[in-house]
Amino acid sequence: MNSDAGSATRAEARRLLERSIGPDAQFRPQQWESIDRLVNERERLLLVQRTGWGKSTVYFIATKLLRDRGAGPTLIVSPLLALMHNQIQDAERQLGLEARTINSNNTDEWEEAKQSVVDGTCDVLLISPERLANREFQEDVLVEMDEEFGLLVVDEAHCISDWGHDFRPDYRRIKRILRELPDHIPVAATTATANDRVVEDVTEQVPDLRVVRGDLVRESLRIQTVEMDSRAERLAWLAENLRELPSAGIVYCLTTDEVEVVADWLAERGLSVAPYHGGMDGDRRRELEDRLLANDVDGLVATNALGMGFNKPDLGWVVHFQRPPNLIRYYQEIGRAGRGLDEAFAVVLSGEEDDEIAEFFIEQAFPDPDDFETVLETVAASDEPLYKYEILKRANVSWKAASKCLNILRVDNAVVRVDDGFERTARDWTYDRERFESITDHRWEELAQIREFVETDACLTKFIDDALDGSMDAPCGRCANCAGEFLPTAVRDDDLVAAAVDHYRAESWDEISARYYVPERGGGRSKIPESRKPEDGRVLCTYGDPGLGELVRDGRESESGYSDELVDAAVDHVEEVWDPTPAPAWVTAVPSRSGEDRVTDLAERIADGLGLPFADALRKVEPTAPDGDLANSYQKRWDVEGVFEATASVRPEPVLLVDETVDTRWALTEAGMMLRDADSGAVYPLALAERTGW
């Protein structure tokens, strides 16, 4: 520590603030006080401040002041590293801080980053919570450092709490680290989304945290809720109203598929928009963020991958195409808007079907006790470490459930990750039913709360503030419930709704990619010979989506089977959109799991519409598990292996192979191979709908 530098002064910090933001910059309430406590008093703070308050400004200026006084680098632990590049670039450019990141996406930079930390040339090191458990990181970085970290920053600190809206198991490691941290190392734990219950839980688990809490809801925001069940109507609503909103903004969707559908629709209606989601590479996402920052687009249609770390002071609006699963996430996302504006708009469109997605994620949040037991027993029974895919081959557990089980078991030290996979430790582990059930119950309470929010006649701003245990004592006077609706709550043009339904139909088909390999039970995989492999196929829609998806759902639930409209759509797609070459000369069906003739009836009607003969070319010779009993692709593959047999009705020409729904493609693949083995021509799979697991 450089004692000659003395205590940091407000004037010194103010000069750094001006370098960061501009010559007229002023500290927001509690910013300088927080910097003072971190740098001069070496305190541990829990900063509960709204999005855009400047939490990163506090810890980067504190870092600069501490480094100038000889302290070690700042360690930032964040689950959102990919979303923090804006702040990092600002800290490097404006404050001259050298920042390094160690994460799974920059392995080629690890050695240089580690060495810079060890040598003391790095000012800021950003890591994910998972990195704290990595033995190589502990040995190569933490042990080898010449000095301690000067400041520890825990981003998204609400994740420490079971009651935080986004609890993450790896944050339990941070609690252990904070308890063992020397008293003289300051801590800045930050969050925008902690109510009293979360704050109390975090401060109980992490000793000596001093809470610094500010006003939570931005005064510039005007909030409105619009109840609208039909997603086709919502598309029409966007087309009618987005041009009325100022500046550029964000349309938030719950799924990647919905992002693409909405972005294509708005682009077709003349708006300059682009899709944005976590499936895109980092360079493309940064390019889109830069375009939004520069107002080169009317807006981005995004999942919540566009969120934390993105700072656009003049973002004029946020519209939610679907209701988020809880009010805290909604608050975070509308907090992107209005940071530097006198007025900005936040509108949420909602309806009953939004519950399906929210309920799915709540129900899937924690694996069943049987899944934990299965994973533990599978790993323990193996003489060698097992990779995740090897566990799935041996156990009827879904990929998502296995991932969650391993993550929780790893944090609890019941399994350990080694070079060749996972292995069981000697530590006893039992399923904490009470804890998992209480967290799940809390998620249901959060869902009920946001349902109440979109239906209330009371002040919307105060409703959010009350949920966060904020300080508002009167209605805001500016939300739609206080001041009147500022945007229509219904679609004016019915033709636009019809066009939106057509858009869903046109956008919803997808390719059924042919499988090239078959997993072997004993390990490894074998390539499907070209002489046996079905061709790429088509699926008409996503199950339950507006238009065709709704027709498929209705048809599966109806005793009368699938509608003529759906059959006509299948015929039109084959003839007008797909046009496979060489063209199929006949049609057959995948035998039903249940033995019902609904698929055969469907295939016969499609054949009639195409003017082609139908042949009953496959029969089922072995039983299969009921729908929903098998959890992963490996188990589904082996469930259909050898269950179909070709009949004498197989013809040598190309064939259209019809099924109702598709997920892993194994039933279509196995049926197709049986047809090819019986000397059929090319096999073209066609399914009505794809089932998604969101």
Side-chain angles (χ1 to χ4, degrees):
M1 194 74 178
N2 180 5
S3 57
D4 293 339
S7 298
T9 65
R10 181 175 183 132
E12 186 180 1
R14 169 70 184 279
R15 286 192 293 272
L16 294 175
L17 180 71
E18 291 173 348
R19 283 172 57 181
S20 299
I21 299 175
D24 299 323
Q26 299 285 337
F27 281 118
R28 292 192 171 108
Q30 300 178 309
Q31 280 187 321
W32 158 246
E33 290 78 7
S34 299
I35 294 168
D36 178 39
R37 289 170 180 162
L38 291 171
V39 177
N40 296 324
E41 305 300 328
R42 304 306 178 88
E43 292 190 14
R44 297 182 170 196
L45 304 182
L46 175 59
L47 299 175
V48 184
Q49 300 286 354
R50 67 179 180 231
T51 56
W53 172 80
K55 295 181 284 292
S56 62
T57 297
V58 166
Y59 57 71
F60 282 132
I61 289 179
T63 295
K64 178 65 173 173
L65 293 170
L66 286 165
R67 291 292 278 165
D68 287 348
R69 285 156 177 77
T74 289
L75 176 65
I76 300 177
V77 183
S78 174
L80 303 166
L81 299 184
L83 306 178
M84 294 186 67
H85 57 270
N86 290 121
Q87 294 103 312
I88 297 305
Q89 288 175 346
D90 289 345
E92 291 179 325
R93 183 177 64 255
Q94 296 159 356
L95 296 177
L97 296 174
E98 180 179 325
R100 298 282 186 172
T101 302
I102 297 178
N103 61 63
S104 58
N105 295 321
N106 71 336
T107 54
D108 57 328
E109 301 173 14
W110 282 10
E111 289 305 318
E112 185 178 352
K114 290 175 185 177
Q115 197 60 46
S116 70
V117 177
V118 171
D119 293 343
T121 59
C122 170
D123 299 308
V124 179
L125 177 65
L126 292 96
I127 64 169
S128 65
E130 294 80 5
R131 192 61 45 194
L132 293 171
N134 183 277
R135 285 185 292 184
E136 183 181 356
F137 176 78
Q138 294 171 353
E139 295 169 359
D140 293 355
V141 178
L142 300 184
V143 174
E144 294 297 321
M145 288 178 62
D146 291 333
E147 54 189 338
E148 300 171 311
F149 284 103
L151 170 66
L152 174 63
V153 176
V154 181
D155 190 31
E156 304 300 301
H158 60 271
C159 297
I160 291 173
S161 170
D162 286 347
W163 315 116
H165 76 284
D166 195 20
F167 170 74
R168 304 191 183 204
D170 282 287
Y171 265 71
R172 295 161 83 179
R173 291 197 181 94
I174 297 176
K175 291 187 293 187
R176 294 195 285 269
I177 289 172
L178 287 168
R179 287 172 180 159
E180 297 169 3
L181 198 69
D183 291 340
H184 63 273
I185 297 180
V187 174
T190 70
T191 179
T193 52
N195 58 18
D196 286 347
R197 184 181 192 181
V198 173
V199 168
E200 182 179 356
D201 191 25
V202 172
T203 53
E204 282 182 0
Q205 295 185 64
V206 181
D208 303 322
L209 276 181
R210 177 171 180 167
V211 180
V212 180
R213 192 167 192 163
D215 294 334
L216 296 177
V217 183
R218 188 169 296 110
E219 292 183 0
S220 61
L221 279 179
R222 298 191 62 193
I223 304 171
Q224 181 174 347
T225 62
V226 177
E227 293 188 67
M228 190 172 286
D229 280 338
S230 164
R231 277 182 285 160
E233 287 186 29
R234 297 183 202 182
L235 285 185
W237 187 95
L238 292 176
E240 287 186 339
N241 293 289
L242 285 193
R243 288 185 178 86
E244 306 301 317
L245 296 172
S247 184
I250 302 169
V251 178
Y252 276 115
C253 300
L254 293 180
T255 68
T256 297
D257 287 345
E258 204 74 56
V259 163
E260 298 286 353
V261 169
V262 173
D264 286 347
W265 162 261
L266 293 175
E268 288 174 7
R269 302 231 113 57
L271 281 89
S272 174
V273 299
Y276 181 109
H277 51 75
M280 297 174 168
D281 65 55
D283 289 342
R284 175 58 177 162
R285 285 162 66 176
R286 280 188 281 276
E287 175 192 341
L288 291 170
E289 291 171 20
D290 289 342
R291 292 186 65 195
L292 182 59
L293 287 168
N295 292 318
D296 287 341
V297 291
D298 296 324
L300 296 181
V301 183
T303 62
N304 66 340
L306 178 62
M308 298 296 101
F310 179 75
N311 182 22
K312 176 178 168 62
D314 64 337
L315 192 79
W317 50 270
V318 167
V319 173
H320 281 81
F321 185 73
Q322 293 147 311
R323 186 190 64 219
N326 58 68
L327 198 64
I328 304 302
R329 175 167 156 183
Y330 178 69
Y331 162 75
Q332 278 190 323
E333 290 170 355
I334 65 174
R336 309 269 75 77
R339 295 182 175 187
L341 298 174
D342 293 332
E343 185 176 66
F345 300 90
V347 183
V348 57
L349 310 177
S350 68
E352 288 185 6
E353 70 171 24
D354 297 337
D355 289 339
E356 294 180 16
I357 299 178
E359 290 169 2
F360 173 85
F361 282 117
I362 292 173
E363 291 164 356
Q364 299 296 315
F366 294 108
D368 292 333
D370 290 345
D371 290 339
F372 280 102
E373 184 177 345
T374 298
V375 170
L376 271 178
E377 289 179 351
T378 302
V379 175
S382 175
D383 294 332
E384 302 290 337
L386 296 177
Y387 289 111
K388 191 187 306 180
Y389 77 88
E390 294 173 313
I391 296 171
L392 296 176
K393 283 185 174 183
R394 305 178 188 200
N396 185 29
V397 179
S398 74
W399 181 273
K400 286 183 179 178
S403 299
K404 291 178 180 179
C405 287
L406 289 169
N407 195 17
I408 291 171
L409 293 169
R410 188 168 48 84
V411 171
D412 291 344
N413 293 322
V415 299
V416 60
R417 179 68 187 264
V418 294
D419 290 342
D420 298 324
F422 295 92
E423 60 184 21
R424 184 71 166 93
T425 68
R427 186 182 183 115
D428 290 335
W429 189 89
T430 56
Y431 182 82
D432 193 344
R433 184 180 300 276
E434 181 178 354
R435 175 172 165 266
F436 291 149
E437 288 182 352
S438 66
I439 296 172
T440 301
D441 289 343
H442 181 58
R443 298 293 180 262
W444 287 111
E445 292 169 3
E446 290 180 325
L447 179 58
Q449 183 183 57
I450 196 165
R451 284 173 178 157
E452 183 183 353
F453 169 73
V454 298
E455 295 170 358
T456 186
D457 294 327
C459 173
L460 296 168
T461 309
K462 192 172 187 303
F463 191 105
I464 295 173
D465 193 74
D466 288 346
L468 291 164
D469 296 312
S471 56
M472 284 183 64
D473 56 9
C476 71
R478 61 186 179 274
C479 73
N481 286 1
C482 288
E485 297 164 353
F486 48 85
L487 287 173
T489 58
V491 176
R492 299 182 292 273
D493 185 352
D494 291 339
D495 290 341
L496 203 52
V497 177
V501 172
D502 290 341
H503 177 76
Y504 267 107
R505 292 190 177 189
E507 289 281 318
S508 61
W509 72 266
D510 202 356
E511 189 173 89
I512 303 174
S513 300
R515 286 193 173 274
Y516 284 80
Y517 296 94
V518 174
E520 302 293 345
R521 292 179 186 266
R525 62 181 185 174
S526 59
K527 188 172 183 179
I528 302 174
E530 285 297 321
S531 60
R532 301 190 74 208
K533 186 169 68 67
E535 306 300 311
D536 292 338
R538 292 293 177 88
V539 59
L540 293 186
C541 62
T542 299
Y543 191 83
D545 267 3
L548 297 181
E550 292 173 342
L551 293 179
V552 176
R553 181 176 58 195
D554 293 345
R556 280 182 68 88
E557 297 171 355
S558 170
E559 293 182 2
S560 59
Y562 294 109
S563 66
D564 290 340
E565 185 178 359
L566 190 56
V567 172
D568 291 343
V571 171
D572 288 344
H573 184 85
V574 173
E575 292 183 331
E576 305 296 333
V577 181
W578 186 4
D579 190 25
T581 304
W586 59 291
V587 179
T588 194
V590 176
S592 169
R593 282 183 178 271
S594 63
E596 298 175 355
D597 59 2
R598 187 172 57 227
V599 185
T600 299
D601 175 70
L602 171 69
E604 288 177 337
R605 293 162 64 196
I606 290 174
D608 185 60
L610 292 169
L612 299 176
F614 171 83
D616 201 359
L618 293 166
R619 59 173 166 255
K620 192 175 177 185
V621 294
E622 296 288 344
T624 52
D627 272 346
D629 279 13
L630 299 175
N632 67 59
S633 179
Y634 297 108
Q635 305 302 320
K636 291 179 181 181
R637 161 62 195 142
W638 296 321
D639 184 54
V640 299
E641 187 175 19
V643 304
F644 303 131
E645 184 177 84
T647 72
S649 300
V650 174
R651 301 167 57 132
E653 300 95 348
V655 57
L656 188 70
L657 175 62
V658 175
D659 203 354
E660 297 174 283
T661 60
V662 61
D663 53 6
T664 62
R665 297 167 283 160
W666 283 124
L668 284 167
T669 301
E670 179 73 10
M673 290 193 297
M674 293 303 100
L675 290 171
R676 296 303 307 272
D677 287 349
D679 295 325
S680 78
V683 177
Y684 298 107
L686 173 68
L688 294 183
E690 180 179 21
R691 286 189 173 274
T692 62
W694 289 302

